[in-house]
Amino acid sequence: MADATEPTQTPATIPPEGGDAPKEPSKSELKKRAKEAEKAKKAAEKAAKQAELEAQKAAAEVDFATELYGKLPLNQSQSRPRRTHTQIATLTPEMDGTPVLIRARVQTSRMQGSKMVFFNLRQRTESVQALLIVAPGKVSKQMAKWAGGLSMESIVLVEGTVKKAPEIIKNATIGNVEIHISQIHLVSGIEGVLPFNVEDATRPDAEIEANEEVQFKRVLLDTRLNNRVIDLRTQTNQAVFKLQHAIGGLFREYLEGQGFTEIHSPKLQAAATESGASVFKVNYFKGNAFLAQSPQLAKQMAIAADFERVYEIGPVFRAEDSNTHRHMTEFIGLDLEMAIEEHYHEVMELLDGLFLHMFRSLRQKYSREIEAVRRQFPADEFKWRDGPEGTLKLSFREAVDLLVEDGVPREKLDDIDTENEKRLGRLVRAKYDTDYFIIDKFPMALRPFYTMPDPEDPTLSNSYDFFMRGEEILSGAQRVHDPTLLAEGMRAKGIDPASMSSYLDAFKMGCPPHGGGGIGLERVLMLFLKLNNIRRASLFPRDPKRLEP
Amino acid sequence: MADATEPTQTPATIPPEGGDAPKEPSKSELKKRAKEAEKAKKAAEKAAKQAELEAQKAAAEVDFATELYGKLPLNQSQSRPRRTHTQIATLTPEMDGTPVLIRARVQTSRMQGSKMVFFNLRQRTESVQALLIVAPGKVSKQMAKWAGGLSMESIVLVEGTVKKAPEIIKNATIGNVEIHISQIHLVSGIEGVLPFNVEDATRPDAEIEANEEVQFKRVLLDTRLNNRVIDLRTQTNQAVFKLQHAIGGLFREYLEGQGFTEIHSPKLQAAATESGASVFKVNYFKGNAFLAQSPQLAKQMAIAADFERVYEIGPVFRAEDSNTHRHMTEFIGLDLEMAIEEHYHEVMELLDGLFLHMFRSLRQKYSREIEAVRRQFPADEFKWRDGPEGTLKLSFREAVDLLVEDGVPREKLDDIDTENEKRLGRLVRAKYDTDYFIIDKFPMALRPFYTMPDPEDPTLSNSYDFFMRGEEILSGAQRVHDPTLLAEGMRAKGIDPASMSSYLDAFKMGCPPHGGGGIGLERVLMLFLKLNNIRRASLFPRDPKRLEP
C-alpha cells in the first residue's frame, strides 16, 4: 500500500497541450446527436430503474440467501439487539397504533391486485391477519410480490403496527385486530413440497361433507402420522397437547397435595414379569433384559421401602400385536400406589377425587383449548356427577345385571368385553346421566396374581376399574402384601415365585397393606375430547406397524 | 341336625337307682385325701394360670397369626372405623396427654427388666421413642415379652398417649416427646432374616472408623443395592429421594413459569440414531427397534411443530459398558428445548436461571432433608455465586488456559477429560469460590452433528456444558435448523442423512432457530449432596452388571 505522504499522480484528465480545435457540426449531425442523446438518456433511465428494482429484490431475498449459507444474524446469534417479540395471543384492539415485532408461521398469503398482500399468521392455537401494502419509499412492488409468493408454513419475522380491525376477521382467532406490516424477513423457508396444508388438516369432516362441490382435501390419519411434525401444527393439535400437558400437571398437583412422592423406576428389567407374553426383549450386553409393562412391581417395592405414597409418570411398554383404536405399544402411565390405613376404598376414593379435580380444572381453566379441539372434533360435552350424590359406583355384579336387563346373555358376562363396556357406558349414561363411573369388586379370576381377594368371598377381589365414555381408563386394586399369599397367587397363575424373588423379598421384610392404580394418559385425553383414536392423543405414536417418526 | 322341638334326652348325671351306700372313710384315708385335694387344687390353679397366660399370649399373637391366613381386618379391609393416624413428624410437646394412633416401623425394641419395653419407631425420615410398661389389667408381662421380641423392621400399629420427654431423646429425630403405649398390634412381620440392620445402614463411615473397638457392621454398596428395599428405608435415603422429588418438581416449576409445555416422546425408535454404538436393540415383533439415548430428535421435532418451548422428564438409555461412579445404563433426563429469538445465550441464561432456582429452593425449603443426608455423607456445603456478578462463565479456551497454568500440557487439552474436569473444578473453587459454573464455546469437533457452529469461527460451536463440583451435569447447544447444513453435518460425522429422513424432513418444512440442553437428574442429586456414587441417587439403579432389583 502507498505511503500516505507520497505525492499524488498528476490527473490524466488535463487536455494535452496543443492539437486541433473542434469543427462546427452540421444541422443534420446535430439532430442525429440529439436523438442519440435522448435514446441514451432513456436507456440510462431504464437501466437505473432496473438496477433499483434488482436492488430491492435482492434486499428482500437476502435473508433467505444468507440463511442458506449460515450468515444470518437471526439464526446464528451474531447479534443480540434484545428487541421484544409479541405473542399473537396477547394482541387486543386497545393496542391500536402500537408497533410490534412478531415471529409466526405463514398459514396463508394472498396477493390482492399488485399492491396488497394478505397474510394469515399463526402461532400455536392463535392466528391474526396481517397486511403488506405497497408504499413509495417504504414497500416496493417487488417486495410485495416476493412476500405474496412466500410458501405456506414459512416462518417470518414481521415488523408492523397493530390496527383495530374495521370488522371482525373470521379466519383469525384474534379477529378484532390486524397487523400493518412495514418490514418482513424470512426466518425459515420450505424446502420441497408440503405433504398437506395445515388448513386442510384443521378442517372438520362435517365441513368437508357439507361442501362437496368445493372438494376440500381430506387428510387421512396415516398421512398425518407419517408427517406428524406438520400435523401437530394444526390449532387442534396444539390445543390437544396443551391439554395433555394439563392432565399430567393436574395429576401431579392433586397428588402433591395428598403427600405423594414422585419416583422414577427402571424400565429395564431382568425378568419378563407380570404376564410374560406381552413384554419386549432387549439385547443387554451379553444377556437380555425386558421392558417394564408398568411400574407395578417397583412402586409396590417403594411402599415396602416406606415411601408411603408414590406416583410415577413414565412410559410403559406393551408388546401386544394389536392395532385397535385404543392400543399402542408405548404409552404414558400415570401410576400411583399408597399405603392403606383401614380399607382399600381409601385408595379408590382418592383416585375418584383425582379425576374430579382433573375434570373440574380442565373445564374451568382450559375451555379455550377444549373449544379449539371441538371445532374439528365435535363431541357431546363430557359429563360427570358433581353433586352431593358423588360418583356412580357399581359393583361388577350390578354392572352385569344392567347388561343382562338390556338383553346380553348372562353366560357371556364372566368378563365384560370391550363391546359390552361400550354398551354399559351407553346404559349408564341413559340411566344415570354420567360419562364417568367406577366398577368395584371384580372377580378374582379376572385380575393379576398380586390382587387382594375379598375377605368375605374369595371369588371376588378388592379391585376396581374406572370408565370414561364406556372405556376403561384406570385399573387398580388393593395388592397382596403377605409374601405367603403372594407366592400362592403366583403359583396359581403359573408363575414361579423364584423368578420374582427380589419382588417377593420386599414383602418378606415387612410391608404395609397398600393399593393403587394405573391410568393411561392418552386414553384420558382421547376420551375426554372424544378424539376416537388414541394415536391422536400421542405426540409420536407407536404401534406394531409404526416406529416413525 | 335335630329338630328344635324334639324332647331332650334324660341327663346321664342322675345316680342309678339302688346300689351300695358309701362307706365311712378312715382318718388316715381322710388325711391322704385332703393332701391329694390340696395337690389337685394347686395343679388346677397352676393350670388355670397357665391357661390365662397362654390366652394372653395368644391374644397378643392373634394379629400375626390372622395376617398369615388372611383374616386380619386391618389388612383385608373388612371394617373401616375411620380412626385418624398420626404422623411422627407432627408430634410436639404441646400434645402432652393427647391419645394417638401411630403406624410405624420398629427400628429397635429393647426390654428393660421384665416390665418395660423401649421402642424406636420410625416413619420415613422421622423417629420417636415409645414405651410399653406392664400394668395390671392393662398390659400383661407376656404382652411385654412378646412386644419386646418383635423383629426389627416389623410394622406395628400402636395406640398410646403423647408425653413430653423428661429430657431430649438423642436417638430420635423427634426427641422432645415419647409415646406411652396402651396397645400394640403387629401389622406386618418379618419372614426370614434381615440382610442388614437399618441402623447399621444409616451409620456414617466416620463413626465406624472412630469406634473401631465396637466393630460396627459396615454395609457395602453392593449389599445395599442387592437389598435395595431395606437400604431405601434409612433416614438418609428417605431424605435423598425426597430431594430427588424436589429437584424434578423445581425443574418443572421453573419451566412452567417460563411458558414451557411438557411433552412425552417415544423411547422406542426405528433407527439407532445420534451415535449408533451405545444404543440398546429391542426385538420389535418381526423386526427391531432401538431405545432412545435422549429425547433430542423428538424435542427438536416438537420445536419444528411449533411447540416453541418444551420439556420432558423421562428415562434415557445408554448401552455403554462402563462401570464408573457416574454412569448408569438408564437414568432420568431432564430435557428442554426452546425457540431462540436472537441469540443462543437466551437458552444458556434460562438454564442458568433454572439451576439457581433449584439451588436456592433446595437450601430454603429442604434444609432438614439436606441435613439428614449430611449426617451420613458429610460434605462441604454446595457453593454457587448468588450475587450481582452472576454465575461464572468461562469459554472453553479460558478453561484450558486455567488447566495449562496449573501445569497440564496444552497438547493434552483438545478435550477436557474426566480427570481434568475434576481438576478444573478444584481450580475454579479455589479461584472463584464456586462449585457451579458454565463452560461456553466448545470446539465443534467435540460436539454432535446437530450443533450450530460459531458464525465467526467454524472450529467453535454455540454450545455449553454446566458443571457441579467438577462434573458435567448439563450439555446443551444451539442446534442446526437448516436442513442443508444439517445433512452436511451428518455426512461429516459419517451418518447417512437418508437414515434420519423423518428428522431431517422436520427442518425442510421450516423450523425456527432453537437450542436446549439435557440434565442428568441423578447427577445433580449426587453432586449437590456429594453422594460419591450415582447409584445412591437412583431408586433401583441399572448398570451393565445390575438389572435387579
Side-chain angles (χ1 to χ4, degrees), chain A residues 75 77 82-83 103 105 191 233 238 245 252 256 267-268 281 283-284 304-306 329-330 340 342 344 478 508-511 542-543, chain B residues 75 77 82-83 103 105 188 191 233 238 245 252 256 267-268 281 283-284 304-306 329-330 340 342 344 478 508-511 542-543:
Chain A
N75 295 346
S77 305
R82 293 175 190 263
R83 295 162 76 196
R103 185 166 72 190
R105 289 270 176 201
E191 197 178 291
R233 292 182 193 163
Q238 293 291 321
H245 174 198
R252 233 178 243 124
E256 301 266 335
K267 305 309 156 205
L268 291 168
K281 192 159 97 176
N283 297 12
Y284 197 76
D306 289 351
T329 49
E330 178 176 353
I340 291 170
E342 296 174 342
Y344 79 100
Q478 180 175 3
K508 288 183 182 163
M509 297 299 120
C511 181
R542 294 292 182 256
D543 65 31
Chain B
N75 295 346
S77 306
R82 293 176 190 263
R83 296 163 74 197
R103 185 166 72 190
R105 289 270 175 199
S188 181
E191 198 177 291
R233 292 181 192 163
Q238 292 291 322
H245 174 197
R252 233 178 243 125
E256 302 265 335
K267 306 308 156 205
L268 290 168
K281 192 159 97 176
N283 297 11
Y284 197 76
D306 289 350
T329 50
E330 179 178 351
I340 291 169
E342 295 174 341
Y344 80 99
Q478 180 176 2
K508 287 183 183 166
M509 297 300 120
C511 181
R542 294 291 181 256
D543 64 32

Coordinates of all heavy atoms in Angstrom, one line a residue, chain A residues 75 77 82-83 103 105 191 233 238 245 252 256 267-268 281 283-284 304-306 329-330 340 342 344 478 508-511 542-543, chain B residues 75 77 82-83 103 105 188 191 233 238 245 252 256 267-268 281 283-284 304-306 329-330 340 342 344 478 508-511 542-543:
Chain A
N75 N -30.3 -16.2 12.9 CA -30.2 -17.7 13.1 C -28.9 -18.1 13.8 O -28.8 -19.2 14.3 CB -30.3 -18.4 11.8 CG -31.6 -18.2 11.1 OD1 -32.6 -17.7 11.8 ND2 -31.8 -18.5 9.9
S77 N -27.0 -16.2 15.9 CA -26.7 -15.5 17.2 C -25.4 -14.6 17.1 O -24.6 -14.6 17.9 CB -26.4 -16.5 18.3 OG -27.6 -17.4 18.4
R82 N -31.9 -7.4 21.6 CA -32.9 -7.5 22.7 C -34.2 -6.8 22.4 O -34.7 -6.0 23.2 CB -32.3 -7.0 24.0 CG -31.1 -7.9 24.5 CD -30.5 -7.4 25.7 NE -29.2 -8.1 26.0 CZ -29.2 -9.1 26.9 NH1 -30.2 -9.5 27.6 NH2 -28.0 -9.8 27.1
R83 N -34.7 -7.0 21.2 CA -36.0 -6.4 20.8 C -37.1 -7.4 21.3 O -36.9 -8.6 21.2 CB -36.1 -6.2 19.3 CG -35.1 -5.2 18.8 CD -34.9 -5.3 17.3 NE -36.1 -4.8 16.6 CZ -36.3 -5.0 15.3 NH1 -35.6 -5.9 14.6 NH2 -37.4 -4.5 14.7
R103 N -42.9 -13.0 15.3 CA -42.4 -14.2 14.5 C -43.5 -15.2 14.5 O -44.1 -15.6 15.5 CB -41.2 -14.8 15.2 CG -40.6 -15.9 14.2 CD -39.2 -16.3 14.6 NE -39.2 -17.0 15.9 CZ -38.1 -17.4 16.6 NH1 -36.9 -17.0 16.2 NH2 -38.2 -18.1 17.7
R105 N -45.7 -18.4 11.8 CA -45.9 -19.1 10.5 C -46.8 -18.4 9.6 O -47.8 -17.8 10.0 CB -46.6 -20.5 10.8 CG -45.8 -21.5 11.6 CD -45.0 -22.4 10.7 NE -44.2 -23.2 11.5 CZ -43.1 -23.8 11.1 NH1 -42.7 -23.7 9.9 NH2 -42.4 -24.6 12.0
E191 N -38.4 -26.3 2.1 CA -37.6 -27.0 1.0 C -38.4 -28.1 0.6 O -38.7 -29.0 1.4 CB -36.3 -27.4 1.6 CG -35.2 -27.8 0.6 CD -33.9 -28.2 1.3 OE1 -33.3 -27.3 2.0 OE2 -33.6 -29.4 1.3
R233 N -48.9 -29.1 13.9 CA -49.0 -27.6 13.8 C -50.5 -27.1 13.8 O -50.7 -26.0 14.0 CB -48.3 -27.1 12.6 CG -46.8 -27.3 12.7 CD -46.1 -26.7 11.5 NE -44.7 -27.1 11.4 CZ -44.0 -27.0 10.2 NH1 -44.6 -26.5 9.1 NH2 -42.7 -27.3 10.2
Q238 N -52.3 -28.3 18.5 CA -51.7 -27.5 19.6 C -52.5 -27.5 20.8 O -52.0 -27.6 21.9 CB -51.5 -26.1 19.0 CG -50.5 -26.0 17.9 CD -49.1 -26.2 18.3 OE1 -48.6 -25.8 19.4 NE2 -48.3 -26.9 17.5
H245 N -50.6 -31.9 28.4 CA -49.7 -31.2 29.4 C -50.6 -30.9 30.7 O -50.1 -31.2 31.8 CB -49.1 -30.0 28.8 CG -48.4 -29.1 29.8 ND1 -48.1 -27.8 29.5 CD2 -47.8 -29.3 31.0 CE1 -47.4 -27.3 30.5 NE2 -47.2 -28.2 31.4
R252 N -50.3 -34.5 38.9 CA -49.3 -34.1 39.8 C -49.7 -33.2 41.0 O -49.4 -33.5 42.1 CB -48.2 -33.4 39.1 CG -46.9 -34.0 39.2 CD -45.9 -33.3 38.4 NE -45.3 -34.1 37.3 CZ -45.4 -33.9 36.1 NH1 -46.0 -32.8 35.6 NH2 -44.8 -34.7 35.2
E256 N -49.5 -34.2 44.8 CA -48.6 -33.5 45.7 C -49.3 -32.9 46.9 O -48.8 -33.0 48.0 CB -47.9 -32.3 44.9 CG -47.2 -32.7 43.7 CD -45.7 -32.9 43.9 OE1 -45.1 -32.3 44.8 OE2 -45.1 -33.6 43.1
K267 N -37.1 -48.9 33.6 CA -37.9 -49.6 32.5 C -37.2 -50.9 32.1 O -37.8 -51.7 31.5 CB -38.0 -48.6 31.4 CG -38.6 -47.3 31.8 CD -39.9 -47.5 32.6 CE -40.2 -46.2 33.4 NZ -41.1 -46.6 34.6
L268 N -35.9 -51.0 32.3 CA -35.1 -52.2 32.0 C -35.2 -53.2 33.2 O -34.9 -52.8 34.3 CB -33.7 -51.9 31.7 CG -33.4 -51.1 30.5 CD1 -31.9 -50.6 30.5 CD2 -33.6 -52.0 29.2
K281 N -38.3 -57.8 24.5 CA -37.0 -58.3 24.9 C -35.9 -57.3 24.4 O -36.0 -56.9 23.2 CB -36.8 -59.7 24.3 CG -35.6 -60.4 25.0 CD -35.7 -61.9 24.8 CE -34.9 -62.4 23.6 NZ -34.9 -63.8 23.5
N283 N -31.7 -56.6 23.9 CA -30.3 -57.1 24.0 C -29.5 -56.3 25.0 O -29.3 -55.1 24.8 CB -29.6 -57.0 22.6 CG -30.3 -57.8 21.6 OD1 -31.4 -58.3 21.8 ND2 -29.6 -58.0 20.4
Y284 N -29.1 -56.9 26.1 CA -28.5 -56.2 27.2 C -27.1 -56.7 27.4 O -26.9 -57.7 28.1 CB -29.3 -56.3 28.5 CG -29.0 -55.3 29.5 CD1 -29.4 -54.0 29.4 CD2 -28.2 -55.6 30.6 CE1 -29.2 -53.1 30.4 CE2 -27.9 -54.7 31.6 CZ -28.4 -53.4 31.5 OH -28.1 -52.5 32.4
A304 N -43.0 -50.9 50.2 CA -42.3 -51.8 51.2 C -41.0 -51.1 51.7 O -40.5 -51.4 52.8 CB -41.9 -53.1 50.5
A305 N -40.5 -50.1 50.9 CA -39.4 -49.3 51.4 C -39.8 -48.0 52.1 O -39.0 -47.1 52.2 CB -38.5 -48.9 50.2
D306 N -41.1 -48.0 52.6 CA -41.6 -46.9 53.4 C -41.9 -45.6 52.8 O -42.0 -44.6 53.5 CB -40.6 -46.6 54.6 CG -40.6 -47.8 55.6 OD1 -41.5 -48.7 55.5 OD2 -39.7 -47.7 56.5
T329 N -48.1 -49.5 21.5 CA -47.1 -50.4 22.1 C -46.3 -49.6 23.2 O -45.6 -50.2 24.0 CB -46.1 -50.9 21.1 OG1 -45.7 -49.7 20.3 CG2 -46.8 -51.9 20.2
E330 N -46.4 -48.3 23.2 CA -45.8 -47.4 24.2 C -46.7 -46.3 24.5 O -47.3 -45.7 23.6 CB -44.5 -46.9 23.6 CG -43.8 -45.9 24.6 CD -42.4 -45.4 24.1 OE1 -41.9 -45.9 23.1 OE2 -41.8 -44.6 24.8
I340 N -52.4 -48.3 52.8 CA -53.8 -48.2 53.2 C -53.8 -48.2 54.8 O -53.1 -49.0 55.4 CB -54.6 -49.5 52.7 CG1 -54.7 -49.4 51.2 CG2 -55.9 -49.6 53.4 CD1 -55.3 -50.7 50.6
E342 N -57.0 -48.4 56.7 CA -58.0 -49.3 57.1 C -58.7 -50.1 56.0 O -59.1 -51.3 56.2 CB -59.1 -48.5 57.9 CG -58.6 -47.8 59.1 CD -59.7 -46.9 59.7 OE1 -60.6 -46.5 59.1 OE2 -59.5 -46.6 60.9
Y344 N -59.4 -50.6 51.5 CA -58.9 -50.2 50.2 C -59.8 -49.1 49.5 O -59.3 -48.5 48.5 CB -58.8 -51.5 49.3 CG -60.1 -51.9 48.7 CD1 -60.4 -51.6 47.3 CD2 -61.0 -52.7 49.4 CE1 -61.6 -52.1 46.8 CE2 -62.2 -53.2 48.8 CZ -62.5 -52.8 47.5 OH -63.7 -53.3 47.0
Q478 N -56.4 -53.2 45.8 CA -55.5 -53.5 46.9 C -54.6 -54.6 46.4 O -55.0 -55.5 45.7 CB -56.3 -53.9 48.1 CG -55.4 -54.2 49.3 CD -56.2 -54.5 50.6 OE1 -57.4 -54.6 50.6 NE2 -55.4 -54.8 51.6
K508 N -41.4 -60.0 52.3 CA -40.9 -60.8 53.5 C -40.3 -59.9 54.5 O -40.2 -60.2 55.7 CB -39.8 -61.8 53.0 CG -40.4 -63.0 52.2 CD -39.4 -64.0 51.8 CE -40.0 -65.1 51.0 NZ -39.0 -65.9 50.3
M509 N -39.8 -58.7 54.1 CA -39.1 -57.8 55.0 C -40.1 -56.8 55.6 O -39.7 -55.7 56.0 CB -38.0 -57.1 54.3 CG -36.9 -58.0 53.9 SD -36.1 -58.9 55.3 CE -36.5 -60.6 54.9
G510 N -41.4 -57.1 55.5 CA -42.5 -56.2 56.1 C -42.9 -55.2 55.2 O -42.2 -54.4 54.6
C511 N -44.2 -55.2 55.0 CA -44.8 -54.2 54.0 C -46.2 -53.8 54.5 O -47.0 -54.7 54.9 CB -44.9 -54.8 52.6 SG -45.6 -53.6 51.4
R542 N -46.7 -45.0 18.7 CA -46.1 -46.3 18.4 C -47.1 -47.4 18.5 O -47.8 -47.5 19.4 CB -45.0 -46.5 19.5 CG -43.8 -45.6 19.5 CD -43.0 -45.7 18.2 NE -41.9 -44.9 18.1 CZ -41.8 -43.7 17.4 NH1 -42.8 -43.3 16.7 NH2 -40.7 -43.0 17.3
D543 N -47.1 -48.1 17.4 CA -48.0 -49.3 17.4 C -47.2 -50.4 16.7 O -46.1 -50.2 16.2 CB -49.4 -49.0 16.8 CG -49.3 -48.6 15.3 OD1 -48.5 -49.1 14.6 OD2 -50.2 -47.9 14.9
Chain B
N75 N -55.8 -55.6 57.4 CA -55.1 -55.8 56.1 C -56.1 -56.1 55.0 O -55.8 -56.0 53.9 CB -54.2 -57.0 56.3 CG -53.0 -56.7 57.2 OD1 -52.8 -55.5 57.5 ND2 -52.3 -57.7 57.6
S77 N -59.4 -55.0 54.8 CA -60.4 -54.0 54.6 C -61.8 -54.5 54.9 O -62.7 -54.4 54.1 CB -60.4 -53.6 53.1 OG -59.1 -53.1 52.8
R82 N -62.5 -45.6 60.6 CA -62.1 -44.2 60.3 C -61.4 -43.5 61.5 O -61.7 -42.4 61.8 CB -63.3 -43.4 59.8 CG -63.8 -43.8 58.4 CD -65.0 -43.1 58.0 NE -65.7 -43.7 56.8 CZ -65.5 -43.3 55.6 NH1 -64.7 -42.3 55.3 NH2 -66.1 -43.9 54.6
R83 N -60.5 -44.2 62.0 CA -59.7 -43.6 63.1 C -58.5 -42.9 62.5 O -57.9 -43.4 61.5 CB -59.2 -44.7 64.1 CG -60.3 -45.4 64.8 CD -59.9 -46.7 65.4 NE -59.1 -46.5 66.6 CZ -58.3 -47.4 67.1 NH1 -58.1 -48.6 66.5 NH2 -57.6 -47.2 68.2
R103 N -48.9 -45.8 63.1 CA -48.3 -47.0 62.4 C -46.9 -46.7 62.0 O -46.7 -45.6 61.4 CB -49.2 -47.3 61.2 CG -48.7 -48.6 60.6 CD -49.6 -49.2 59.5 NE -49.6 -48.4 58.3 CZ -50.5 -48.6 57.4 NH1 -51.5 -49.5 57.5 NH2 -50.5 -47.8 56.3
R105 N -42.5 -48.4 61.6 CA -41.6 -49.4 61.7 C -41.0 -49.5 63.1 O -40.7 -48.5 63.7 CB -40.4 -49.2 60.7 CG -40.7 -49.3 59.3 CD -40.5 -50.7 58.8 NE -40.9 -50.7 57.4 CZ -41.3 -51.7 56.7 NH1 -41.2 -53.0 57.2 NH2 -41.7 -51.7 55.4
S188 N -47.4 -56.0 60.1 CA -46.6 -56.8 59.1 C -45.3 -57.2 59.8 O -44.6 -56.4 60.3 CB -46.4 -56.0 57.8 OG -45.6 -56.8 56.9
E191 N -40.3 -62.2 57.6 CA -40.1 -63.6 57.3 C -38.7 -63.8 56.9 O -38.2 -63.2 55.9 CB -41.1 -64.0 56.2 CG -41.3 -65.5 56.0 CD -42.3 -65.7 54.9 OE1 -43.5 -65.4 55.0 OE2 -41.9 -66.2 53.9
R233 N -34.9 -47.7 53.2 CA -35.6 -47.3 54.4 C -34.8 -46.4 55.4 O -35.4 -45.8 56.3 CB -36.1 -48.5 55.2 CG -37.1 -49.3 54.5 CD -37.5 -50.5 55.3 NE -38.3 -51.5 54.6 CZ -38.5 -52.7 55.0 NH1 -38.0 -53.2 56.1 NH2 -39.3 -53.5 54.3
Q238 N -34.4 -41.9 52.6 CA -35.7 -41.3 52.6 C -35.5 -39.8 52.2 O -36.3 -39.2 51.4 CB -36.5 -41.4 53.9 CG -36.9 -42.8 54.2 CD -38.0 -43.4 53.3 OE1 -38.9 -42.7 53.0 NE2 -37.9 -44.6 52.9
H245 N -37.2 -36.0 44.3 CA -38.6 -35.5 44.0 C -38.6 -34.0 43.9 O -39.1 -33.4 43.0 CB -39.5 -36.0 45.1 CG -40.9 -35.5 45.1 ND1 -41.8 -35.5 46.1 CD2 -41.6 -34.8 44.1 CE1 -42.9 -34.9 45.8 NE2 -42.9 -34.6 44.6
R252 N -39.7 -28.5 36.9 CA -41.0 -28.3 36.3 C -41.5 -26.9 36.6 O -42.0 -26.2 35.8 CB -41.9 -29.3 36.9 CG -42.6 -30.1 35.9 CD -43.5 -31.1 36.6 NE -43.0 -32.4 36.2 CZ -42.7 -33.3 37.1 NH1 -42.7 -33.1 38.4 NH2 -42.3 -34.5 36.7
E256 N -42.5 -24.2 33.9 CA -43.9 -23.9 33.7 C -44.0 -22.3 33.8 O -44.8 -21.7 33.0 CB -44.8 -24.5 34.8 CG -44.7 -26.0 34.8 CD -45.8 -26.7 34.1 OE1 -46.9 -26.1 33.8 OE2 -45.6 -27.9 33.7
K267 N -39.8 -43.8 23.5 CA -38.4 -44.3 23.8 C -38.1 -45.4 22.7 O -36.9 -45.7 22.6 CB -38.4 -44.9 25.2 CG -38.8 -43.9 26.3 CD -38.1 -42.6 26.2 CE -38.8 -41.4 26.8 NZ -38.4 -40.1 26.2
L268 N -39.1 -45.9 22.1 CA -38.9 -46.9 21.0 C -38.6 -46.2 19.7 O -39.5 -45.4 19.3 CB -40.1 -47.9 20.9 CG -40.3 -48.8 22.0 CD1 -41.6 -49.5 22.0 CD2 -39.2 -49.9 22.1
K281 N -30.7 -52.5 21.5 CA -31.6 -53.1 20.4 C -32.7 -53.8 21.1 O -32.5 -54.6 22.0 CB -30.8 -54.0 19.5 CG -31.5 -54.4 18.2 CD -30.6 -54.8 17.1 CE -30.5 -56.3 17.1 NZ -29.6 -56.7 16.0
N283 N -36.2 -56.4 20.4 CA -37.0 -57.2 19.4 C -38.4 -56.6 19.3 O -39.1 -56.6 20.3 CB -37.1 -58.6 20.0 CG -35.7 -59.3 20.1 OD1 -34.7 -58.7 20.0 ND2 -35.7 -60.6 20.3
Y284 N -38.7 -56.1 18.1 CA -40.0 -55.5 18.0 C -40.8 -56.2 16.9 O -40.6 -56.1 15.7 CB -39.7 -54.0 17.5 CG -40.9 -53.1 17.6 CD1 -41.3 -52.6 18.9 CD2 -41.7 -52.8 16.5 CE1 -42.4 -51.8 19.0 CE2 -42.8 -51.9 16.7 CZ -43.1 -51.4 17.9 OH -44.2 -50.6 18.1
A304 N -40.0 -27.8 15.7 CA -40.4 -27.7 14.2 C -41.9 -27.7 14.1 O -42.5 -27.3 13.1 CB -39.7 -28.7 13.4
A305 N -42.6 -28.4 15.1 CA -44.0 -28.5 15.1 C -44.7 -27.3 15.9 O -45.8 -27.4 16.3 CB -44.5 -29.8 15.7
D306 N -43.9 -26.3 16.1 CA -44.4 -25.0 16.7 C -44.7 -25.1 18.2 O -45.4 -24.2 18.7 CB -45.7 -24.6 16.0 CG -45.4 -24.1 14.6 OD1 -44.3 -23.9 14.2 OD2 -46.4 -23.8 13.8
T329 N -26.9 -47.3 32.9 CA -27.4 -47.6 31.6 C -28.8 -47.0 31.4 O -29.3 -46.9 30.3 CB -27.5 -49.2 31.4 OG1 -28.2 -49.7 32.5 CG2 -26.1 -49.8 31.3
E330 N -29.4 -46.6 32.5 CA -30.7 -46.0 32.4 C -30.7 -44.9 33.5 O -30.4 -45.1 34.6 CB -31.8 -47.0 32.7 CG -33.2 -46.4 32.7 CD -34.4 -47.4 32.9 OE1 -34.1 -48.6 32.9 OE2 -35.5 -47.0 33.0
I340 N -35.2 -19.8 19.7 CA -34.4 -18.7 20.1 C -34.9 -17.5 19.3 O -35.3 -17.6 18.1 CB -32.9 -19.0 19.6 CG1 -32.3 -20.1 20.5 CG2 -32.1 -17.7 19.7 CD1 -31.0 -20.6 20.0
E342 N -33.1 -14.3 19.3 CA -32.0 -13.6 18.7 C -30.6 -14.3 18.9 O -29.8 -14.2 18.0 CB -31.9 -12.2 19.4 CG -33.0 -11.3 19.1 CD -33.0 -10.0 19.9 OE1 -32.3 -9.9 20.9 OE2 -33.7 -9.1 19.5
Y344 N -28.3 -17.6 21.1 CA -28.4 -18.8 21.8 C -28.1 -18.6 23.3 O -28.4 -19.5 24.1 CB -27.4 -19.9 21.3 CG -26.0 -19.8 21.7 CD1 -25.4 -20.6 22.7 CD2 -25.1 -18.9 21.0 CE1 -24.1 -20.5 23.0 CE2 -23.8 -18.8 21.3 CZ -23.3 -19.6 22.4 OH -22.0 -19.5 22.7
Q478 N -27.0 -24.5 20.8 CA -27.9 -24.1 19.7 C -27.8 -25.3 18.7 O -26.8 -25.9 18.5 CB -27.5 -22.8 19.0 CG -28.5 -22.5 17.9 CD -28.2 -21.1 17.3 OE1 -27.2 -20.4 17.7 NE2 -29.0 -20.7 16.3
K508 N -36.9 -29.3 6.8 CA -37.2 -28.9 5.5 C -38.6 -28.2 5.4 O -38.8 -27.4 4.6 CB -37.3 -30.1 4.5 CG -35.9 -30.7 4.2 CD -36.0 -31.8 3.2 CE -34.6 -32.4 3.0 NZ -34.7 -33.8 2.3
M509 N -39.4 -28.5 6.4 CA -40.7 -27.9 6.4 C -40.8 -26.6 7.3 O -41.8 -26.2 7.8 CB -41.8 -28.9 6.9 CG -42.0 -30.1 6.0 SD -42.5 -29.6 4.3 CE -41.1 -30.2 3.3
G510 N -39.6 -26.1 7.6 CA -39.5 -24.8 8.3 C -39.4 -25.0 9.8 O -40.2 -25.7 10.4
C511 N -38.3 -24.4 10.4 CA -38.1 -24.6 11.8 C -37.4 -23.3 12.3 O -36.5 -22.9 11.7 CB -37.3 -25.8 12.1 SG -37.0 -26.1 13.8
R542 N -29.5 -49.1 37.4 CA -29.2 -50.1 36.4 C -27.8 -49.8 35.8 O -27.5 -48.6 35.5 CB -30.2 -49.9 35.2 CG -31.6 -50.3 35.6 CD -31.7 -51.8 35.8 NE -33.0 -52.3 36.1 CZ -33.4 -52.6 37.4 NH1 -32.6 -52.5 38.4 NH2 -34.6 -53.1 37.6
D543 N -26.9 -50.8 35.8 CA -25.6 -50.6 35.1 C -25.4 -51.9 34.3 O -26.2 -52.9 34.4 CB -24.5 -50.2 36.1 CG -24.3 -51.3 37.2 OD1 -24.4 -52.5 36.9 OD2 -23.9 -50.9 38.3

